[in-house]
Amino acid sequence: MRGVKLVQCHGVFSHLHYGHLKHLEAARAMGDKLWVTITADKYLRKPNRLPERQRWEMLKALRCVDLCTIIYAF
């Protein structure tokens, strides 16, 4: 991917909403590819969150997201 400008966004994205979509679209517009990373379940403390697999599937389904990864180590 030489010469490709990669933009990265990181978050929990447990309750994906319109604000997240607009944020991700704006980030994608800043480069050629958008890489979204999400925090793995084992690092979350708040209850009632969507499981990491569901959060990953929702994000990778968005047209503006080129790559989505779950981060398991900090």
Side-chain angles (χ1 to χ4, degrees):
M1 289 190 358
R2 187 176 207 125
V4 174
K5 186 174 182 181
L6 180 65
V7 177
Q8 187 223 355
C9 288
H10 178 82
V12 175
F13 300 105
S14 184
H15 300 287
L16 194 60
H17 56 74
Y18 183 73
H20 286 127
L21 177 61
K22 293 288 124 188
H23 173 76
L24 294 170
E25 288 175 338
R28 176 63 175 80
M30 298 172 81
D32 301 311
K33 300 283 184 183
L34 176 61
W35 176 29
V36 178
T37 55
I38 61 174
T39 304
D41 288 345
K42 72 180 192 174
Y43 297 106
L44 302 179
R45 294 189 179 129
K46 293 183 181 178
N48 301 321
R49 294 203 183 270
L50 286 175
E52 62 193 27
R53 178 67 185 205
Q54 290 178 16
R55 295 182 284 130
W56 175 79
E57 286 184 32
M58 283 194 322
L59 286 162
K60 75 180 187 88
L62 297 176
R63 274 183 283 177
C64 61
V65 176
D66 297 294
L67 177 67
C68 187
T69 307
I70 301 169
I71 301 298
Y72 291 101
F74 283 94

